[in-house]
Amino acid sequence: HNMSIVRKSSFRHVFADKPRSDTYFSGYRLTGESWDMNYAAVNPLYLAIPTRSGNGSCVAIFKTGEPGRFTSIPEFTGHSGPIQNLQWNPFNDNVLATCSADCFTKIWLVPEGGLTESTSTEAQILRGHSRKVGTVNWHPSADNVVATSSADNTVKVWDIKTGDEQLSVDGHSGLITACEWNWDGSLLATSCKDKHMRIVDPRAGEIVSDLDRKPVQGTKGNRVLWAGRHNMIISFGFGNGQRQYSLYDPRDMSKAWLAPKRLDSSSGTLMGSYDSDIEVLYLGGKGDGSVNYYEFDTGFDNPKKAVFHLSAYASNEPQRGLAWMPKRGLNVQENEIARIYKIEDTQAAPLSFSVPRRMEGFSHDLFPPTRSDVPAIDGEAWFGGENAEPLSLDLSEGYEATERGGAFEKEEIDPDAPTNLSGYKKAYKEMKARIAFL
């Protein structure tokens, strides 16, 4: 792009170093599960990686600040099927959500000071999906609210304090591959194996927009993200035999606002994250060693000038997954604008992206206020119809990660009750036989 030469940008010279050997976490074996996930989640305190233990049903918990080679790693071991996705609570760095092929989503509490031994006891269990749960996403501004999607073709929203399913939306006709909240958490965007992209209003219980993308979308690995606080959806994945991304305006989904743009012809599924503070999109491929990053012109007045390719980090060590550190976990003194944990089969390391500068002191242009780790509203208010944008945090004053407890009302269940689909089918058969007998 010769455009970017004359364009004023703080991010023309973003630089990513090859990780130093003393920053690696190793000693685990990454899960063999092939479901399209990022294979890790990270926050300022902990790095969570699903492993091969228990046939892919366990997740290892490392302390982010203590890399090294480990011979034994404490794990959360309570699922009975492979983990499909995982995400840390944005308002409590000790609370992790995992969803699994066992039909359940579980909420885990890391004890203060870290997990010292493996445990199968979750803090909360979300029961209600009848097939594998593929995505789990914390609400961006309301406390204790989680959205899940499943191979039962529903999107559900839960109150994790009580474990209750509060909302459920039907209407997808295929496997949901991504389910993402918008900026204030009033809507969800989904991508689906039926090659439709949809916008879901979970509190109204309906799909408010539905776009058939068959002409431009390949069969595998399509995902969606919102462009931060902007009412714009980024779709990325495969189409026309290449990796590509496009933009959609949710107010008019009849056509792409920015028609699909080619990335390359690699075959690895794309993983992405949008930095809403500085309007930068990161896209990294599975099975290759690249991370491309793009700056957005968020006036969104001209599709041709909306997205600029800044640069790419390239390495010959392919990644299986990527995990993005929240902004409050970065070294702002060193102008570190992103830290992406690169997940390989037996080791993980942080890629640190920074903007080299001679001047000392805090760079306000690189670090505008970021998402706070304090919720804007409680879950009850959100379920009652309120919306709130995420609160912001000024990083110029420095950030201290806070240990937080968590209070959950967990429903105890009959130990003989069925725990999976085949169990439910068997119980249903027995019940039908009993009713027939009566």
Side-chain angles (χ1 to χ4, degrees):
H1 296 297
N2 52 4
M3 271 300 296
S4 57
I5 297 164
V6 294
R7 207 169 144 264
K8 188 180 173 310
S9 167
S10 304
F11 305 105
R12 279 220 305 275
H13 307 294
V14 177
F15 187 71
D17 265 333
K18 189 172 158 48
R20 293 196 323 271
S21 58
D22 62 357
T23 62
Y24 277 84
F25 297 81
S26 64
Y28 66 87
R29 289 176 67 223
L30 190 65
T31 176
E33 180 59 26
S34 60
W35 171 252
D36 179 22
M37 61 170 151
N38 286 5
Y39 289 103
V42 69
N43 69 30
L45 297 179
Y46 303 108
L47 169 66
I49 299 179
T51 68
R52 281 189 183 268
S53 314
N55 197 17
S57 63
C58 302
V59 57
I61 306 296
F62 298 92
K63 287 186 181 177
T64 306
E66 299 176 17
R69 181 174 291 282
F70 297 86
T71 47
S72 74
I73 305 154
E75 296 186 320
F76 288 135
T77 62
H79 281 293
S80 61
I83 286 172
Q84 308 292 295
N85 245 310
L86 67 170
Q87 198 177 61
W88 290 104
N89 184 339
F91 311 123
N92 188 332
D93 286 343
N94 292 63
V95 172
L96 178 72
T98 57
C99 61
S100 162
D102 64 12
C103 307
F104 300 132
T105 299
K106 296 193 173 193
I107 309 295
W108 305 90
L109 186 60
V110 180
E112 206 158 317
L115 193 63
T116 51
E117 54 186 16
S118 293
T119 176
S120 61
T121 310
E122 68 284 317
Q124 187 59 276
I125 181 164
L126 309 180
R127 300 182 184 85
H129 283 300
S130 60
R131 294 188 60 195
K132 79 171 180 184
V133 187
T135 68
V136 58
N137 289 76
W138 293 90
H139 193 282
S141 59
D143 207 10
N144 295 314
V145 177
V146 160
T148 58
S149 70
S150 160
D152 63 14
N153 297 355
T154 65
V155 171
K156 295 183 187 294
V157 185
W158 312 76
D159 174 349
I160 63 148
K161 278 218 302 281
T162 59
D164 294 337
E165 173 191 322
Q166 296 280 6
L167 305 164
S168 187
V169 185
D170 300 316
H172 288 77
S173 61
L175 193 58
I176 299 162
T177 55
C179 182
E180 298 282 342
W181 292 104
N182 68 347
W183 181 249
D184 67 358
S186 55
L187 299 170
L188 288 156
T190 66
S191 56
C192 184
K193 276 280 199 293
D194 63 12
K195 299 188 184 179
H196 284 235
M197 187 166 82
R198 295 174 176 87
I199 298 174
V200 177
D201 179 340
R203 289 171 298 189
E206 61 185 25
I207 291 167
V208 291
S209 199
D210 183 337
L211 173 72
D212 184 348
R213 298 184 70 242
K214 284 188 192 67
V216 295
Q217 181 170 319
T219 45
K220 70 166 187 172
N222 272 277
R223 295 210 211 165
V224 287
L225 282 173
W226 295 80
R229 63 195 85 225
H230 308 285
N231 201 9
M232 196 63 79
I233 297 170
I234 305 160
S235 169
F236 55 94
F238 292 92
N240 310 322
Q242 60 192 22
R243 297 200 295 194
Q244 58 185 29
Y245 66 88
S246 49
L247 298 182
Y248 289 85
D249 181 338
R251 288 157 303 206
D252 175 18
M253 296 256 284
S254 57
K255 60 182 189 311
W257 185 82
L258 172 68
K261 283 183 82 79
R262 181 179 187 275
L263 245 166
D264 55 35
S265 53
S266 296
S267 59
T269 316
L270 288 168
M271 299 168 281
S273 179
Y274 189 86
D275 182 335
S276 49
D277 303 340
I278 56 174
E279 316 292 1
V280 169
L281 170 70
Y282 298 89
L283 292 178
K286 282 183 195 174
D288 59 56
S290 70
V291 179
N292 280 276
Y293 37 108
Y294 304 82
E295 189 171 6
F296 277 51
D297 176 355
T298 53
F300 291 118
D301 42 18
N302 180 349
K304 287 192 177 65
K305 295 183 180 174
V307 185
F308 295 87
H309 184 252
L310 286 168
S311 188
Y313 171 83
S315 99
N316 45 18
E317 279 106 39
Q319 61 236 3
R320 286 273 308 277
L322 295 171
W324 278 264
M325 173 66 81
K327 193 64 64 84
R328 56 194 169 82
L330 302 182
N331 186 342
V332 297
Q333 266 47 57
E334 303 285 323
N335 292 332
E336 182 184 36
I337 61 160
R339 191 184 311 153
I340 306 175
Y341 284 71
K342 182 175 169 168
I343 312 300
E344 298 171 25
D345 275 322
T346 58
Q347 60 178 21
L351 297 176
S352 175
F353 292 78
S354 57
V355 177
R357 287 194 172 167
R358 286 200 189 89
M359 56 178 245
E360 292 289 305
F362 182 80
S363 299
H364 287 273
D365 61 326
L366 301 183
F367 300 102
T370 191
R371 278 170 193 251
S372 169
D373 59 347
V374 177
I377 49 173
D378 60 26
E380 291 78 11
W382 184 82
F383 284 115
E386 273 185 54
N387 289 328
E389 295 201 0
L391 298 179
S392 58
L393 173 72
D394 183 354
L395 292 172
S396 66
E397 291 147 24
Y399 169 78
E400 281 298 313
T402 41
E403 293 270 0
R404 291 203 174 95
F408 301 95
E409 304 149 35
K410 193 169 142 196
E411 185 191 340
E412 289 314 319
I413 202 141
D414 171 6
D416 300 326
T419 58
N420 56 21
L421 194 57
S422 54
Y424 280 116
K425 282 182 176 156
K426 188 168 157 243
Y428 177 62
K429 248 188 169 136
E430 286 167 6
M431 187 180 78
K432 273 209 339 214
R434 251 202 326 276
I435 291 166
F437 175 70
L438 295 170

